[in-house]
Amino acid sequence: MDFPENTSMKPEGNIANRIAFLIKIKGLVQGVGFRPFVYRLANELNIAGWIINRNDAVVVKAEGNAKDMPLFIEKLKISAPVIAQIDEINVENDFPENFHDFRILASQDLSEETSEISPDIAVCNDCLDDLKKQPHRIDYPFINCTNCGPRFSIIFDFPYDRDKTTMKSFTMCPDCESEYSDILNRRFHAQPIACNHCGPYYTLHSGNTIDKNFSSVLQTVAGFIDEGKIIALKGIGGFHFMCDALNKTSVKRLREIKHREGKPFAIMFRDITVIKKYAQITDEEAVMLNSWQRPVVLLKKKEEPSEGICLGLSTIGAFLPYMPFHYMLFEQLKTKAVILTSGNLADEPIIIDDKKALEIFGKLTDAVITYNREIFNRTDDSVVRFIRGKERIFRRSRGYVPSPVRLPFDVNGILATGAELSNCFCIGKGSKAILSQHIGDLKNYETYEFYTETIERFKKVFRFNPSLIAADMHPDYLSTRYAMQQGIEVIKVQHHHAHIAACMAEYQLNEKVIGVCFDGTGYGTDGNIWGGEFLIADYYDFKRYVHFDYLPLPGGDKAVSENWRTGVSLLFKAFGNDLVNVDIPLVRNVDRKLLLQIIDAIEKKINTPLSSGCGRLFDGVAAITGVCTSTRFHAEAPMKLESVIMPDIKEHYDVDIAETIRFEPMIQQIISDIQNKISCSIISARFHNTIIWTIFETVKRMRKETGISQIVLSGGSFQNKYLTENVIDMLTRAGMEVYLSAKVPFNDGGIALGQLVVAAKRR
Ligand code: ZN
Ligand code: ZN
Ligand code: FE
């Protein structure tokens, strides 16, 4: 913050002892309740003047006595609304004009403000206090204020005003009305303002019982959970299933209900102290857990609350209460940890509709708790993991969407349709990129409907009309097909180029970079499946510099869930037909006839598409070492390999780095390690070290040959903390600048941003 050098102004006429500043504030300060906040602060400190929203900044003229003014500026910064983000405050001396009061002046240009919609915000501490003492809000579970409450999830049109939200059907009572219109009140223009007299309420449906009395609803739910029952609870962005995380029978039943055998469940803990029993937490992870976004944070597991939650992974997905209901429930519950997982079946989107929830969950669970305010925009819980001291978003939804990514160039009118798995799309408004919430796997019919519906909603809410579409090169991605059907010009962007460009956009990198892009699958310009790629890239184009050697995937898509097939393919590469004599469990356990068929298919190139995917290499090694031979969810095999790593192992295996990167020597060494009874933990560490070493050596060579020393890492494989932290450390120590996305997922959830910027530069 810049303070003026001379803060003592000459007294002028009757305004002795008064000084004046002109303050320019940049950042996310529009449409977040910033002006009323400044107004209240000015009143509190006897500051006169005015505030106005201008195109590029909020400008404040403030005058007061010399003692109060520095405090005013300090408080502007430290007590601003939680979701405001001040990037820059510029303070200049100005002349006192003898204002008598502080005013909010009409904005000169509304275009900026109206395009910003706040994400949903976890209930704030002031509101939690009010729950205990404000007469009309005692135990009112939909309490909110300008600093907290639902936002994006309830908006259906713009500008953000109560009648453009699903609060429309609730008429404010006189108490709420007077708070809403009092600028000195914390609920001034809080659009979802409500109380016990006028707002939404919960209803419990259980068997033939329908209960609308909140304290008895709460008691019933708490009793049910402690007894081991399962409930469906309507949250901010959709329904959740909830059960006691310490009750393994309930956990097991929940898996059956969800048709989800394999994926770990996220756990909501009563407070940080409880989390510390089950997981290791760093200070920065604690801050993140308590942030207004309240994401699920992937932590290092200490103890599994009960069997069947983490499923062999070394991480635990933890989060803290974020709705008033959650807080009030934990006051009643005996258990201090509940599973709170998306209320959906298998791969379908999370259910948001009361009727559908009652129809489906009514039969499956012991109670369904609805409330009579509609969820308009579906949002899942967001997921983050700390990698090298920064939070990295793996799933970007509640609390983050629709915050824009600000770019140094124009992207207006472009729609980027994203990838296929973990799809998000992205729209360009001026120089801002607005990413959609996590949509999911488009191959699921309901998810695809959610996708097209959300695109239409973004068009309406953000007054967006696409003039250009960016899409993946994969001809069969449903997002690409959608793009082709719109009758608008389409620019196709290679998958891994988009990965690298997304990270460049986040960090506003304008020079050519070395892009290391490791993931499972992405359509290459040669028609093969890419995913172990070293690129030289800028926004316009890229060159594939070197890549992992192609590996045939026996059975095509089948090789992803039956990853032992990929293991066999790796063995065939390293041993040829002799693989049948390799004495390891994988070879012994596969039916001999099937094994010979697979070898035959590889030799004759029958249904064995070629892949350079890093994810497939991890799949194959997981199978060979016996860590995971078939998978139940996306990236299970790599996650399990990471989970078994023994720390402090330094050695790596040998690799041939030439035109392509060949792993035959490594596979042969892994086999002799297995035969020498070396544990899979040590093998996994050595394998990871091999990939780290490969990246380091390859990047070093590329820097030498090109002179480029900015390195971008992207692709889902870098969600592996061991791999990524070691790569960042080694490259940084060698004097390179390393970038890995933090605000936008670097898995396929961030692809749309990359597509958008590439298309913007090419048009
Ligand atoms: Zn609040
Ligand atoms: Zn009211
Ligand atoms: Fe990818």
Side-chain angles (χ1 to χ4, degrees):
M1 193 190 302
D2 308 315
F3 274 100
E5 278 166 25
N6 177 13
T7 52
S8 64
M9 299 288 295
K10 228 197 282 171
E12 236 179 64
N14 61 348
I15 44 177
N17 292 326
R18 280 170 84 82
I19 59 167
F21 293 154
L22 194 66
I23 307 157
K24 278 195 192 125
I25 305 153
K26 289 189 178 179
L28 180 58
V29 285
Q30 296 175 331
V32 293
F34 195 74
R35 285 174 300 163
F37 151 72
V38 175
Y39 180 91
R40 287 194 290 275
L41 188 61
N43 272 278
E44 194 186 302
L45 298 172
N46 286 316
I47 306 287
W50 46 259
I51 180 168
I52 191 167
N53 261 356
R54 295 225 174 111
N55 246 349
D56 57 333
V58 166
V59 182
V60 180
K61 167 81 186 242
E63 56 181 68
N65 69 48
K67 176 171 68 64
D68 295 329
M69 290 288 272
L71 186 63
F72 176 68
I73 288 168
E74 196 50 38
K75 281 205 163 184
L76 268 187
K77 208 178 167 188
I78 59 169
S79 24
V82 279
I83 67 158
Q85 185 198 314
I86 298 173
D87 296 335
E88 198 184 317
I89 294 192
N90 188 296
V91 184
E92 285 168 27
N93 279 321
D94 206 352
F95 291 101
E97 293 174 69
N98 198 16
F99 291 114
H100 296 291
D101 56 7
F102 193 90
R103 292 179 185 199
I104 297 181
L105 304 184
S107 300
Q108 286 166 342
D109 181 2
L110 286 167
S111 63
E112 281 292 296
E113 183 182 27
T114 45
S115 67
E116 298 255 334
I117 290 170
S118 163
D120 300 303
I121 312 165
V123 60
C124 74
N125 288 332
D126 291 334
C127 282
L128 289 174
D129 279 352
D130 286 347
L131 272 184
K132 310 269 181 210
K133 59 173 201 241
Q134 254 200 348
H136 56 309
R137 293 202 183 85
I138 296 287
D139 289 340
Y140 180 59
F142 294 93
I143 193 165
N144 66 82
C145 71
T146 42
N147 296 324
C148 76
R151 297 286 188 277
F152 174 65
S153 59
I154 58 168
I155 290 169
F156 58 79
D157 201 356
F158 109 141
Y160 176 54
D161 225 333
R162 187 172 171 107
D163 66 351
K164 303 287 169 48
T165 72
T166 56
M167 281 301 290
K168 187 182 169 192
S169 50
F170 298 90
T171 311
M172 280 182 232
C173 70
D175 283 343
C176 286
E177 177 91 58
S178 77
E179 294 168 290
Y180 181 86
S181 23
D182 174 9
I183 192 163
L184 292 173
N185 195 287
R186 204 177 82 243
R187 295 191 174 84
F188 173 69
H189 282 202
Q191 305 304 345
I193 190 173
C195 76
N196 272 317
H197 305 307
C198 65
Y201 55 84
Y202 282 99
T203 305
L204 175 135
H205 311 255
S206 177
N208 293 323
T209 311
I210 290 183
D211 190 355
K212 294 181 196 295
N213 176 306
F214 186 63
S215 72
S216 97
V217 168
L218 207 55
Q219 263 177 27
T220 309
V221 172
F224 274 19
I225 299 294
D226 282 328
E227 282 164 29
K229 291 184 169 154
I230 292 172
I231 62 149
L233 170 68
K234 188 170 176 180
I236 284 277
F239 275 83
H240 281 114
F241 290 119
M242 185 192 272
C243 75
D244 183 0
L246 299 159
N247 184 329
K248 70 175 182 193
T249 319
S250 311
V251 175
K252 190 162 171 267
R253 195 179 139 215
L254 181 53
R255 286 212 177 273
E256 284 156 14
I257 289 177
K258 274 200 76 154
H259 304 298
R260 180 157 83 166
E261 265 184 275
K263 219 167 171 182
F265 284 135
I267 303 170
M268 180 174 275
F269 291 92
R270 195 187 65 188
D271 52 43
I272 288 266
T273 325
V274 184
I275 300 184
K276 284 180 179 158
K277 180 168 187 261
Y278 299 101
Q280 287 177 20
I281 318 185
T282 63
D283 291 347
E284 51 209 359
E285 284 165 342
V287 170
M288 195 72 238
L289 283 160
N290 269 310
S291 70
W292 60 267
Q293 291 96 342
R294 294 282 207 291
V296 173
V297 183
L298 297 180
L299 303 167
K300 191 167 180 3
K301 183 179 78 183
K302 274 208 273 200
E303 186 191 327
E304 191 162 355
S306 83
E307 200 179 292
I309 294 179
C310 308
L311 300 172
L313 299 185
S314 59
T315 52
I316 192 163
F319 58 152
L320 289 172
Y322 57 86
M323 287 180 84
F325 188 99
H326 304 147
Y327 281 94
M328 288 187 267
L329 182 64
F330 273 116
E331 283 177 9
Q332 309 269 329
L333 277 173
K334 291 196 191 83
T335 184
K336 293 167 186 165
V338 293
I339 287 180
L340 199 66
T341 183
S342 319
N344 58 350
L345 304 180
D347 290 327
E348 289 176 14
I350 180 168
I351 288 178
I352 58 174
D353 179 64
D354 288 4
K355 212 174 133 231
K356 200 169 169 193
L358 286 167
E359 218 173 271
I360 297 175
F361 302 149
K363 290 180 214 124
L364 297 170
T365 64
D366 300 298
V368 180
I369 293 89
T370 61
Y371 59 77
N372 58 337
R373 181 180 67 209
E374 194 194 333
I375 296 171
F376 191 74
N377 295 306
R378 174 187 279 121
T379 52
D380 285 83
D381 293 313
S382 295
V383 179
V384 309
R385 187 179 196 184
F386 273 80
I387 296 178
R388 259 306 155 262
K390 254 192 182 177
E391 77 258 25
R392 317 286 175 170
I393 301 196
F394 287 8
R395 187 167 69 192
R396 192 173 179 276
S397 204
R398 178 183 53 76
Y400 295 91
V401 174
S403 294
V405 178
R406 280 152 223 278
L407 301 167
F409 48 84
D410 182 68
V411 287
N412 199 42
I414 305 174
L415 165 68
T417 58
E420 180 151 279
L421 255 181
S422 343
N423 177 283
C424 288
F425 64 85
C426 184
I427 64 169
K429 274 294 269 188
S431 61
K432 285 185 285 197
I434 304 171
L435 280 137
S436 75
Q437 66 270 46
H438 163 80
I439 304 277
D441 181 358
L442 298 185
K443 281 194 295 294
N444 176 283
Y445 177 74
E446 284 81 5
T447 309
Y448 184 75
E449 276 192 323
F450 170 35
Y451 173 71
T452 54
E453 174 191 271
T454 308
I455 293 177
E456 290 311 311
R457 290 179 173 186
F458 267 56
K459 284 186 189 169
K460 186 175 176 200
V461 171
F462 295 102
R463 297 290 190 267
F464 173 78
N465 196 5
S467 53
L468 178 65
I469 298 185
D472 196 276
M473 284 176 71
H474 200 307
D476 298 328
Y477 271 7
L478 289 170
S479 54
T480 309
R481 291 201 187 155
Y482 171 88
M484 303 310 285
Q485 289 158 3
Q486 301 309 305
I488 300 171
E489 187 195 343
V490 176
I491 292 181
K492 289 197 179 176
V493 182
Q494 199 278 325
H495 187 93
H496 303 94
H497 184 208
H499 266 302
I500 298 300
C503 180
M504 292 176 66
E506 181 179 326
Y507 292 101
Q508 306 199 347
L509 305 178
N510 289 311
E511 308 283 310
K512 273 196 165 56
V513 300
I514 293 174
V516 184
C517 195
F518 285 8
D519 64 2
T521 303
Y523 191 83
T525 52
D526 59 358
N528 291 323
I529 306 165
W530 293 9
E533 311 302 315
F534 292 86
L535 314 176
I536 302 288
D538 58 20
Y539 291 118
Y540 298 91
D541 213 350
F542 73 97
K543 180 173 183 263
R544 193 186 196 197
Y545 208 84
V546 65
H547 60 90
F548 285 6
D549 189 29
Y550 283 126
L551 184 72
L553 300 180
D557 278 348
K558 239 189 196 173
V560 177
S561 54
E562 296 177 19
N563 64 305
W564 59 266
R565 290 169 177 271
T566 310
V568 170
S569 184
L570 275 175
L571 292 174
F572 184 74
K573 235 182 205 292
F575 298 94
N577 284 304
D578 275 350
L579 92 86
V580 292
N581 302 318
V582 173
D583 189 25
I584 58 165
L586 174 70
V587 176
R588 287 198 299 268
N589 293 343
V590 177
D591 174 73
R592 185 51 62 105
K593 217 174 110 198
L594 182 57
L595 192 65
L596 294 173
Q597 271 172 15
I598 288 175
I599 293 172
D600 192 51
I602 295 172
E603 282 181 318
K604 293 184 178 145
K605 301 189 170 66
I606 301 164
N607 193 19
T608 48
L610 297 179
S611 164
S612 61
C614 178
R616 297 293 88 81
L617 182 68
F618 272 76
D619 282 357
V621 171
I624 290 171
T625 52
V627 169
C628 177
T629 51
S630 69
T631 69
R632 295 162 294 181
F633 62 92
H634 182 65
E636 180 178 0
M639 283 159 87
K640 286 204 161 147
L641 257 190
E642 181 192 355
S643 288
V644 301
I645 293 176
M646 180 178 286
D648 303 321
I649 301 286
K650 297 279 174 263
E651 325 81 67
H652 62 80
Y653 299 116
D654 296 329
V655 176
D656 278 345
I657 303 178
E659 309 252 295
T660 61
I661 296 165
R662 303 181 65 99
F663 293 99
E664 288 86 332
M666 175 186 82
I667 298 299
Q668 286 156 359
Q669 288 164 339
I670 288 177
I671 297 305
S672 54
D673 272 358
I674 295 172
Q675 288 166 343
N676 289 326
K677 306 271 183 286
I678 304 285
S679 76
C680 65
S681 294
I682 295 176
I683 297 176
S684 175
R686 288 177 179 166
F687 164 69
H688 277 81
N689 294 345
T690 309
I691 305 300
I692 294 158
W693 177 83
T694 302
I695 294 175
F696 181 65
E697 288 299 317
T698 308
V699 168
K700 234 174 37 185
R701 187 185 110 195
M702 289 172 78
R703 175 174 68 166
K704 205 169 147 215
E705 289 167 7
T706 64
I708 299 169
S709 58
Q710 287 192 323
I711 321 299
V712 167
L713 309 178
S714 193
S717 300
F718 288 108
Q719 291 180 175
N720 183 315
K721 189 166 166 148
Y722 181 92
L723 170 76
T724 308
E725 293 193 335
N726 281 294
V727 167
I728 292 175
D729 289 350
M730 276 179 91
L731 294 175
T732 310
R733 272 199 301 267
M736 291 181 245
E737 281 172 53
V738 187
Y739 298 91
L740 175 71
S741 295
K743 292 181 188 158
V744 169
F746 49 79
N747 56 39
D748 283 4
I751 283 283
L753 176 63
Q755 294 172 342
L756 185 89
V757 293
V758 170
K761 290 289 184 179
R762 281 190 194 158
R763 78 170 156 191

